[in-house]
């Protein structure tokens, strides 16, 4: 990837003259079966711009209550689009047409003009805070159709779309066909340093290009970054299966340590969420102790979140399991 980056052909991305960015845009549009795709420095900006294009101020956007746009983008959609986000309560981040109609009913608590107008449904594939969970094609089709029937557009935060594709055997184009706009991230499991790509109709992308400029996302010789993303598409998609296998091995090993509780016994993709409460240690203590041993895990929803990716090997998983077991047994009563 470093070599591809170093030898990238570049031009002025703001003017649409960077050949490597242009190549990546064409490739992603084709991969996702959309008319157009647009380069972005990162995924958060893709969400902001997509929501801006789909909505008018004071509109309502519906999303799962744990969606990244609600929980982890600094409230940015209310800042940039001035929309209200109606959260659907879920366990895994995946919901049904029924839950969507309940959300719509809440928005219609009182008749127009008092209630906000619902304009957009956002789904996340895979769902980060839901546990790296997967929308099946059938689940997604059902909610997308229900949303369209209510006049809503559908946007997919596909930060980890390829994890979903590898886990389910469904192509990116099949998932993409169900939504109006979507984006993919090159900096998650794909392992590139910079870059995301938003896709949709020609008209949608033309508007997105303007807002990308408004958001300060237009770049100059971005081809150096896009070259890393092309390399990632060529070399890092199929290997996501290794990350999923590593997550399963981690979950399996953790489940054997007394007092460790997993939120789901089998991770669907590359994330493992677990709680250490039953060991007498807090999650915070374990995260700190692991960091002291060179193992970095985070805390999300009051749980520990471990994410596998291309810089985590099978032997790193074994090291992590030994470290957790060791931390737990060192804390056992009577241990000096
Ligand atoms: C589901 C989801 N959406 C959006 C983002 C934001 O992406 P980026 O870090 O490229 O801005 C993330 C990042 O973790 C994410 O997990």
């Amino acid at each position: 990837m470093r070599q591809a980056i170093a030898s990238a052909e570049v031009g002025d991305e703001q003017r649409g003259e960077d050949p490597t960015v242009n190549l990546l845009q064409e490739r992603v549009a084709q991969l996702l079966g959309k008319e157009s795709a647009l380069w972005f420095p990162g995924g958060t900006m893709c969400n902001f711009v997509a929501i801006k294009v789909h909505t008018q101020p004071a509109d309502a956007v519906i999303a799962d209550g744990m969606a990244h746009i609600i929980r982890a983008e600094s409230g940015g959609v209310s800042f940039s689009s001035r929309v209200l986000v109606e959260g659907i309560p879920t366990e895994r981040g995946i919901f049904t047409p029924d839950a969507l109609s309940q959300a719509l009913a809440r928005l219609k608590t009182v008749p127009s003009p008092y209630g906000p107008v619902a304009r957009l449904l956002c789904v996340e594939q895979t769902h980060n805070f839901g546990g790296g969970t997967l929308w099946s094609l059938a689940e997604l089709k059902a909610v997308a159709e229900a949303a369209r029937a209510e006049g809503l557009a559908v946007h997919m935060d596909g930060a980890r779309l390829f994890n979903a594709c590898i886990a389910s055997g469904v192509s990116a184009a099949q998932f993409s066909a169900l939504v109006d706009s979507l984006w993919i991230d090159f900096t998650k499991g794909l392992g590139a340093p910079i870059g995301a790509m938003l896709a949709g109709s020609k008209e949608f992308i033309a508007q997105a290009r303007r807002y990308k400029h408004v958001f300060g996302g237009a770049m100059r010789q971005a081809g150096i970054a896009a070259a890393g993303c092309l390399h990632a598409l060529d070399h890092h998609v199929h290997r996501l299966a290794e990350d999923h296998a590593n997550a399963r091995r981690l979950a399996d090993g953790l489940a054997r340590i007394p007092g460790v509780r997993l939120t789901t016994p089998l991770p669907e993709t590359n994330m493992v969420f677990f709680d250490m409460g039953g060991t007498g240690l807090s999650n915070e203590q374990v995260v700190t102790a692991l960091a002291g041993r060179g193992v970095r895990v985070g805390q999300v929803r009051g749980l520990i979140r471990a994410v596998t990716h291309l810089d985590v090997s099978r032997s790193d998983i074994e090291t992590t399991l030994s470290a957790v077991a060791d931390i737990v047994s060192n804390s056992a009563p009577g241990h000096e």
Side-chain angles (χ1 to χ4, degrees):
M1 186 182 282
R2 289 287 184 117
Q3 278 166 11
I5 288 171
S7 57
E9 246 191 279
V10 296
D12 190 339
E13 189 270 329
Q14 285 195 5
R15 293 168 176 265
E17 290 172 1
D18 188 300
T20 310
V21 169
N22 292 345
L23 179 66
L24 183 65
Q25 288 178 163
E26 282 159 30
R27 187 152 164 202
V28 170
Q30 199 176 32
L31 198 62
L32 299 179
K34 292 289 188 218
E35 283 177 358
S36 251
L38 183 62
W39 164 261
F40 276 82
T44 301
M45 199 186 286
C46 289
N47 276 336
F48 291 166
V49 167
I51 291 170
K52 181 72 209 119
V53 175
H54 283 298
T55 61
Q56 292 298 318
D59 282 346
V61 172
I62 300 178
D64 159 71
M66 280 292 150
H68 201 272
I69 57 163
I70 302 179
R71 303 291 160 206
E73 296 179 3
S74 306
V77 291
S78 56
F79 177 77
S80 54
S81 291
R82 289 181 280 152
V83 289
L84 177 137
V85 186
E86 177 70 26
I88 296 179
T90 72
E91 262 309 302
R92 298 169 52 244
I94 314 298
F95 49 87
T96 59
D98 240 20
L100 172 61
S101 42
Q102 285 167 31
L104 284 162
R106 287 195 295 278
L107 291 170
K108 290 180 192 154
T109 301
V110 292
S112 184
Y114 300 103
V117 176
R119 202 68 79 176
L120 178 69
L121 174 69
C122 290
V123 293
E124 208 173 288
Q125 179 74 305
T126 60
H127 200 287
N128 184 346
F129 304 143
T133 44
L134 190 67
W135 282 91
S136 71
L137 200 60
E139 286 166 330
L140 186 62
K141 187 165 186 283
V143 292
E145 280 173 0
R148 291 241 167 67
E150 295 288 341
L152 272 64
V154 185
H155 169 69
M156 176 186 278
D157 170 339
R160 296 177 184 80
L161 177 63
F162 287 116
N163 290 86
C165 295
I166 294 296
S168 63
V170 174
S171 73
Q174 283 174 291
F175 284 124
S176 163
L178 300 175
V179 300
D180 298 289
S181 60
L182 76 165
W183 62 272
I184 55 170
D185 216 330
F186 294 99
T187 63
K188 302 283 181 286
L190 296 190
I194 301 167
M197 192 69 83
L198 177 65
S201 68
K202 271 206 173 98
E203 196 194 337
F204 172 85
I205 291 296
Q207 291 184 56
R209 183 180 293 282
R210 167 155 185 266
Y211 284 115
K212 173 172 122 164
H213 211 92
V214 171
F215 279 75
M219 300 171 81
R220 297 295 184 184
Q221 282 69 31
I224 53 166
C229 302
L230 283 165
H231 179 93
L233 281 181
D234 287 335
H235 301 284
H236 296 168
V237 175
H238 290 288
R239 62 148 309 286
L240 291 171
E242 288 171 39
D243 299 340
H244 299 174
N246 281 341
R248 285 197 297 275
R249 167 67 194 129
L250 180 64
D252 184 55
L254 286 170
R256 291 165 201 271
I257 302 174
V260 178
R261 183 183 68 81
L262 282 117
T263 55
T264 47
L266 256 193
E268 293 176 47
T269 56
N270 68 328
M271 294 185 191
V272 181
F273 281 61
F274 58 101
D275 178 54
M276 299 297 295
T279 64
L281 288 165
S282 70
N283 290 336
E284 179 91 47
Q285 285 172 309
V286 175
V287 169
T288 308
L290 282 172
R293 293 163 187 248
V295 179
R296 293 181 64 180
V297 290
Q299 283 192 84
V300 171
R301 296 179 76 171
L303 298 161
I304 300 181
R305 185 189 70 155
V307 181
T308 57
H309 52 81
L310 82 173
D311 294 325
V312 175
S313 65
R314 178 54 68 106
S315 85
D316 292 331
I317 299 293
E318 301 307 330
T319 305
T320 303
L321 288 171
S322 310
V324 175
D326 209 37
I327 292 163
V328 171
S329 64
N330 282 347
S331 77
H335 189 93
E336 289 300 306

